[in-house]
Amino acid sequence: MSELVPGGNTPLPGGALTLRVPGPFDVSALITDAGGQVRGDADFVFYNQTSAPGVRLDGDRLTVDPARLRPGADRVTVVVSPADPGTPLGQLPSPALLVSAPDGRAIARFTPPRPQAETVLLLAELYRRGTAWKLRALGQGYADGLAGVARDFGIEVTEDADTPAASPSSPPAPVPGTGHAAAPVGRTPTLLDLGPMGAAAASGSDPAEEPAVREFLAAVNSARAAAGSPPVTLDSRLTSAARAHAAGMAAGGLLSAETADGVSVYQRVVSAGYAYLTIGEHLVSGPRTPREFVEYCLSSERSRSTLCDPGFEEAGLARVADSRTGDLYWTALWGRPFSPAGLERTAREVIALTNTERAAHGLPPLSPDAPLTTAAQGHSADMVARDFYAHTSPEGRQPWDRAAAAGSRRRTIGENIACGQRSPAEVVLGWMNSPGHRANILKRDFTHIGVGLAGGGRAGTYWTQLFGG
C-alpha cells in the first residue's frame, strides 16, 4: 500500500475503486474535464446528490469507476468537509483517505497535514494520464465551504448578500490565502501557494512589462529587507517560465499548478533552463498592479513566508489577461539555483535531521553511504525524468535492486520517498508524520543512509531516503 504525501501520486488498477474518509466528515466529488471545469450541476456528487455516471456516494464511502464516467471526464476531485458545517476542520482529527481496489485490497492512504481554519479540503484527485488513471494526494484547503469549491469548479451558486453562510446555497466571502479559486476583478483575490510543488508568450523578456517588473522587484526587496532577508534578483528563465504558466492559466480561466495542457509550473521552470535546489511560487488572480500583487502576497503568514524566505536568491514574474474576462493571472517564481555543493549540503541536512529524530528515540545515528546515495539520487532523478512517483520503477526495479546496482552490499534495504516539499525540515517532518515512513527512520536495524533530491517534476522536488543495514 502506498503512503502518500501532498503532491504524491500512485497508479490505479482498473475497475471500481472505493474511497473512504472515516470519521465526522462529509465526502463529495467533482467530475471535471481537461479544463478543470464541470459540465453542469450533475457533475457534483454530495450528500444531496449522491450519484453521477461512474460515481456513487454511500455515507463515508465513495465508489469511482473511471471507465463509467461521462464522456470527456478526465478528473474526479475528492472533497471532504465537516459533517457539522459549523465546525472548522482544525477542531477535528485530520481526515484520512483510504483507497481500495475492486478486490478490496488497500492500495493507498493519505493523511494531510492537520487543517486549521479551513472548512473544506480538496483531499485527492483521480486523473487520467494517457489510457491509465492515477491518484494524486492534494490537501488543499478552502475557508468558504462546499459552495466556494463548487463555484470555483464552474457550478453556479446563488449567493445571499444579506446572510452569507457556509452552505452549498450561499457561501461566505472568500478568505485570502486559504483556497485556490480564480477571483474576478473587484472581488477578494484568492491565492494558491503550494509550498514546497508552455503556452504562448514563452520568451523571457517583454519590454512593455519591464516597468511593472521593476515595481514588483522594488516592493519585494523592500519587504524582504524588513524581514531581514537578502534581496532577490530577476532571472530571465524564471520570468519565461512564469509567463508561460500565467498564459496557460489565463487560457483555461483557472488558477492551478498544472494547466489544461498537462504541464505543471515546476516542469516549466526546468524547461526554461533553470535547474533548482528549491522553488516557490505564488499563483494569484485579482490584483491589477505589481504593488497590489505584492501587498496581497504579504497579507497571510504562509504566502508572506514564501516571499520573504531567505533561501531564495532569484525571482521571475509575469501577468497575463484572460481574453474573455479581462481577469489578470499572475505567476511569481522564487528559486535557489542548483549547484553540486548545494545538493550535497541539502542531503547532509536531511541526514542530520533524520539522526536528530533517531537520537530522540534512543537510536544510534545513520552514517552516510556512497552507494546508497548514488541509488537515492538516481531514483529521484528518474522519477522526475519519467514522470512517476513510486518505489517501483516503470520496468519493475525495487529499492534493493537500485541499491545493488549502485554497488551496495547492505543486507537490509528500506526507502522513503516524497515530493513537493521545499526544504529538508519540511520533508523530514512529513516523513515523521507518516507511520510507514517514520518506521523506516526509526528502524534499529538500519545503520547507513543515502539521500537524493531532484527538482522539476510534476509536483516539484522529489526526495528519496535509502536505508541500509
Side-chain angles (χ1 to χ4, degrees):
M1 181 175 67
S2 297
E3 291 275 1
L4 298 178
V5 296
N9 63 66
T10 188
L12 294 172
L17 304 158
T18 301
L19 299 90
R20 292 188 60 229
V21 184
F25 304 106
D26 282 332
V27 181
S28 311
L30 288 139
I31 303 153
T32 55
D33 54 25
Q37 296 287 288
V38 300
R39 287 189 178 176
D41 294 353
D43 282 346
F44 188 18
V45 175
F46 66 115
Y47 48 77
N48 279 340
Q49 181 170 272
T50 58
S51 65
V55 181
R56 176 170 295 278
L57 178 64
D58 182 11
D60 67 358
R61 188 182 304 269
L62 185 72
T63 303
V64 180
D65 188 345
R68 296 181 179 274
L69 295 173
R70 63 157 173 82
D74 283 331
R75 196 172 303 250
V76 178
T77 302
V78 181
V79 181
V80 66
S81 56
D84 178 358
T87 304
L89 284 170
Q91 296 182 14
L92 301 175
S94 191
L97 174 67
L98 308 174
V99 184
S100 300
D103 60 5
R105 173 176 49 91
I107 56 177
R109 177 169 57 191
F110 171 54
T111 303
R114 188 180 183 88
Q116 299 299 318
E118 295 93 333
T119 57
V120 175
L121 281 182
L122 304 187
L123 194 56
E125 60 185 9
L126 293 80
Y127 64 100
R128 188 195 305 271
R129 186 61 66 215
T131 59
W133 283 78
K134 303 178 80 173
L135 175 78
R136 178 183 291 122
L138 298 176
Q140 298 170 6
Y142 275 70
D144 49 351
L146 280 178
V149 175
R151 182 183 60 239
D152 297 337
F153 277 77
I155 296 174
E156 185 175 348
V157 178
T158 302
E159 297 195 33
D160 184 342
D162 295 325
T163 57
S167 71
S169 60
S170 59
V175 176
T178 57
H180 76 300
V185 176
R187 290 176 54 191
T188 304
T190 310
L191 169 69
L192 170 61
D193 181 10
L194 293 181
M197 338 272 305
S203 71
S205 176
D206 183 350
E209 286 290 274
E210 287 181 4
V213 172
R214 287 197 297 269
E215 180 184 350
F216 160 79
L217 191 62
V220 164
N221 282 333
S222 175
R224 289 176 64 86
S229 297
V232 292
T233 58
L234 289 174
D235 183 273
S236 61
R237 297 161 299 177
L238 290 177
T239 298
S240 173
R243 182 169 294 111
H245 196 73
M249 293 192 300
L254 182 70
L255 286 177
S256 176
E258 182 177 317
T259 49
D261 56 6
V263 181
S264 81
V265 65
Y266 314 108
Q267 291 170 315
R268 285 193 166 98
V269 169
V270 294
S271 294
Y274 190 91
Y276 63 83
L277 281 173
T278 186
I279 201 79
E281 72 287 325
H282 287 112
L283 310 179
V284 180
S285 177
R288 306 303 299 178
T289 68
R291 190 163 296 277
E292 286 181 10
F293 171 81
V294 172
E295 289 175 354
Y296 178 66
C297 292
L298 293 170
S299 66
S300 71
E301 180 57 36
R302 184 176 181 182
S303 58
R304 183 189 306 111
S305 67
T306 298
L307 189 148
C308 296
D309 189 327
F312 292 130
E313 300 173 8
E314 297 167 327
L317 175 76
R319 58 182 178 180
V320 175
D322 184 333
S323 60
R324 298 156 296 186
T325 65
D327 293 349
L328 286 177
Y329 285 79
W330 299 76
T331 298
L333 295 171
W334 317 89
R336 179 191 300 174
F338 174 87
S339 69
L343 176 65
E344 184 178 349
R345 181 174 60 252
T346 304
R348 285 200 306 267
E349 290 177 20
V350 172
I351 295 173
L353 290 168
T354 299
N355 282 334
T356 297
E357 297 292 347
R358 287 176 64 88
H361 291 80
L363 297 170
L366 301 171
S367 299
D369 180 273
L372 294 179
T373 298
T374 298
Q377 184 60 39
H379 189 54
S380 287
D382 190 31
M383 288 191 289
V384 168
R386 293 199 282 174
D387 192 20
F388 74 98
Y389 178 75
H391 295 290
T392 305
S393 66
E395 65 275 8
R397 286 163 60 90
Q398 301 286 351
W400 42 89
D401 299 321
R402 294 189 288 271
S408 175
R409 297 183 179 277
R410 306 291 168 191
R411 293 185 175 183
T412 304
I413 296 292
E415 183 177 78
N416 286 345
I417 58 175
C419 61
Q421 295 80 6
R422 291 180 179 171
S423 68
E426 187 177 347
V427 73
V428 172
L429 177 61
W431 281 325
M432 288 300 293
N433 286 337
S434 168
H437 300 90
R438 177 189 178 94
N440 273 341
I441 288 175
L442 301 181
K443 188 170 182 177
R444 185 174 294 275
D445 292 346
F446 290 144
T447 57
H448 290 75
I449 186 173
V451 171
L453 60 140
R458 190 175 301 276
T461 299
Y462 286 61
W463 306 75
T464 302
Q465 281 182 319
L466 197 58
F467 304 92

